[in-house]
Amino acid sequence: MAKILMKGNEAIAAAAIKGGCKFFFGYPITPQNELPEYMARELHKAGGCFVQAESEVAAINMVYGAAGSGARVMTSSSSPGIALKQEGISYIAGAELPCVIVNISRGGPGLGGIQPAQSDYFQNTRGGGNGDYRLIVYAPATLQEAVDLTMEAFDVADYYRNPVVISGDGMIGQMMEPIEFKELPKREIPPKDWATTGTKGKRKPNIINSLALDPAELEKHNIRLKEKYDLIEKNEVRYEMYNIENAELVIVSYGTTSRIVKNAIAALKQEGINVGLIRPITLWPFPMKAFDEIPKTVKALLSVEMSMGQMIDDVKIANKGRYPVHFYGRSGGMIPTPDGIAQKVKEILGGVK
Amino acid sequence: MAVVFKRTNGLKDIPTHYCPGCTHGIIHRLVGEVLEELDVLGKTIGVAPVGCSVLAYDYFNCDMHEAAHGRAPAVATGIKRVDPDNIVFTYQGDGDLASIGAAEIIHAAHRGEKITTIFVNNAIYGMTGGQMAPTTLIGQKATTAPYGRDKEHSGMPLKVSEMLATISGAVFVERVAVNTPANIRKAKKAIKKAFEVQMEGKGFGIVEILSTCPTNWGLAPTEALKWLEENMIPYYPLGNFRTPEEAK
């Protein structure tokens, strides 16, 4: 299939439909509006249904109902909107339902701004909802990757009966790039015999629920969830290692920021400074094992983010105390520049060469 | 011997957790009987709320989906949109529906969502221990209105049926009570009509059912029924507020 030029938000929406998404419930918020708009135009043609909810809270609960009925369902929003959805996300995770949640993030806290930011790292990977739960979080760096991951996300969500987050920022949502909708390998999904589709008089009633008043029962549920999360950590970690061999310093960066980092790495190479990159593609599970592959030539690590340093804790855990960990970040919608990153690398390595 | 009364197949054969004298049991039975009589148990999905009836998902003999506080109409929207041929109902108390879930119920009605809402109004928060609800009457005591509800401080009790009847998507709105055998029969008739309206695809239907809370009202069950009649019905008049014919 030939490549086509699409805007990020629309490309993610188109990929979702190709991934089998039949239902979309959302509420407008900048900078992701082209996504629900695309769904409003196109989803019914795929035999599905788009509903604009009265709020983000209602939207995620519509997702909860549709997911419980066994449908492939998605919602999208941006940072403060995702904050409102956290209650429902906790319920969906608790009831072990599959769904895909897109967060095209912007600067915060509070109402923040509408420019790109990565300051939802905690919100995406730790969750703002209550209880012991985890979300699988994909952080695409290009629109092609966003499309591939979105298509696959529905399979992954169904496979584990767990919500999957596509974590992009305003840049991913708003930029245009050529993309191709490729056939991806499908997973074998167990039948959704747990769904509330009506008993048809043929089976006992199904109950979709996250309430367990007996503490022993709830603990058992949490232990079982943890076993599932352990399995996800074992099987679903994704990352990219870039220019690692003979590197003096390794930058850890994800999403659109990692593209700027690659430009900084190229510029530094011109000056004879060899810098590598670890790019987490899954923010959770975080690619801890990538850090075991760091060569002995490396003197330090540098976490580069469009936030005030939310990923640095994970970098430190993954580093296991082996190298000093530094931080460079911009926030509020300010974008890091290759020059700014290169300057920081030179400072760490002991002055301009 | 002829069987004159038996358990409805609309409910599972298990004891409920409700307090003695609470009318949730009657209302559960009415809903169960209606679903059985309409022969739709096999294609019904109920949505249970947060509050006293949070465990309703254990009692109804059909597929059930538990929802967060107030969100049942949104959850029901998702379920109904996936398969419009299924029958979907929410079962909600007054704290759940009239307070934290006011937006969800108004907008489900506003979209003309083809679901049925069973709204149990006992003018108090039961499960959390008797706090003031939006429906608590003026002068009625609650743990968070220890001197009785004061209009200046907390506003007038919210008349949900009257409010929803102004929304064009709400095609069936009726308020009933379960304080006497005659009223219980009327309540069942209204519940049946609300489900029939859904089956005919006409729009959103709600039955508000005046109910008692002997435990948190601090009254014996029979006194509670009398209190309902003397205090609730005068402020929350029984009757139909909207039929599909009027909604056109």
Side-chain angles (χ1 to χ4, degrees), chain A residues 21-331:
Chain A
C21 175
K22 285 278 190 293
F23 295 88
F24 182 96
F25 306 98
Y27 188 75
I29 183 171
T30 305
Q32 60 83 57
N33 290 320
E34 297 84 357
L35 205 166
E37 285 166 358
Y38 186 94
M39 288 301 199
R41 281 200 306 276
E42 301 296 332
L43 202 47
H44 68 281
K45 295 179 195 167
C49 175
F50 161 92
V51 177
Q52 181 170 323
E54 64 270 29
S55 69
E56 285 89 348
V57 176
I60 193 69
N61 280 282
M62 289 175 187
V63 169
Y64 181 34
S69 293
R72 283 200 160 177
V73 55
M74 181 162 100
T75 188
S76 67
S77 194
S78 181
S79 312
I82 294 291
L84 282 169
K85 288 183 202 276
Q86 295 292 351
E87 169 197 90
I89 293 171
S90 168
Y91 277 70
I92 293 168
E96 289 192 85
L97 298 180
C99 69
V100 177
I101 301 156
V102 180
N103 182 4
I104 300 297
S105 64
R106 60 191 236 184
L111 203 46
I114 58 167
Q115 300 298 324
Q118 293 179 324
S119 48
D120 289 355
Y121 186 90
F122 289 154
Q123 178 163 258
N124 288 333
T125 63
R126 270 53 176 172
N130 59 299
D132 279 321
Y133 74 91
R134 288 291 193 178
L135 307 174
I136 300 164
V137 185
Y138 290 132
T142 65
L143 294 199
Q144 185 61 56
E145 194 174 45
V147 161
D148 294 346
L149 289 171
T150 302
M151 281 172 73
E152 199 182 344
F154 288 89
D155 264 15
V156 174
D158 274 349
Y159 188 82
Y160 292 103
R161 287 183 63 183
N162 208 70
V164 175
V165 174
I166 305 292
S167 165
D169 58 47
M171 266 192 282
I172 284 278
Q174 293 298 322
M175 69 185 170
M176 293 183 86
E177 280 185 327
I179 49 159
E180 188 183 358
F181 294 102
K182 293 176 279 193
E183 281 295 320
L184 295 167
K186 298 267 179 233
R187 290 178 197 231
E188 201 166 315
I189 313 295
K192 295 184 173 182
D193 51 9
W194 42 264
T196 51
T197 49
T199 64
K200 313 282 188 280
K202 288 178 182 162
R203 57 161 170 78
K204 285 186 175 166
N206 283 337
I207 299 171
I208 301 292
N209 183 28
S210 66
L211 177 69
L213 291 171
D214 175 1
E217 195 193 320
L218 183 53
E219 187 185 47
K220 216 169 113 187
H221 179 56
N222 281 321
I223 290 169
R224 214 174 47 70
L225 285 178
K226 173 71 165 62
E227 284 166 2
K228 176 169 87 172
Y229 301 144
D230 288 347
L231 193 67
I232 294 170
E233 282 191 285
K234 192 170 151 234
N235 294 340
E236 302 301 330
V237 168
R238 295 188 196 192
Y239 57 94
E240 180 194 1
M241 301 285 270
Y242 178 80
N243 201 47
I244 289 289
E245 216 177 317
N246 302 320
E248 292 176 67
L249 179 145
V250 167
I251 293 176
V252 188
S253 188
Y254 68 96
T256 51
T257 308
S258 68
R259 299 171 67 154
I260 303 165
V261 166
K262 283 182 179 175
N263 285 337
I265 288 173
L268 286 163
K269 207 168 217 170
Q270 300 282 321
E271 299 181 46
I273 303 170
N274 212 357
V275 173
L277 168 70
I278 293 174
R279 177 173 75 89
I281 298 170
T282 48
L283 298 186
W284 194 85
F286 192 76
M288 303 290 175
K289 62 185 175 190
F291 291 75
D292 296 336
E293 299 168 33
I294 294 173
K296 290 193 166 59
T297 48
V298 168
K299 298 188 185 77
L301 302 184
L302 171 62
S303 186
V304 178
E305 310 167 44
M306 275 197 293
S307 80
M308 294 311 291
Q310 295 191 15
M311 185 177 62
I312 198 167
D313 293 350
D314 279 341
V315 173
K316 284 178 178 170
I317 293 166
N319 178 46
K320 295 177 188 162
R322 289 174 284 210
Y323 305 99
V325 178
H326 298 266
F327 171 71
Y328 178 76
R330 301 296 302 270
S331 84

Side-chain angles (χ1 to χ4, degrees), chain A residues 87 198 200 203 206 208, chain B residues 42 63-64 66 69 71 111:
Chain A
E87 169 197 90
K200 313 282 188 280
R203 57 161 170 78
N206 283 337
I208 301 292
Chain B
D63 277 358
M64 293 293 293
E66 178 256 5
H69 36 234
R71 319 297 180 222
R111 286 189 301 271

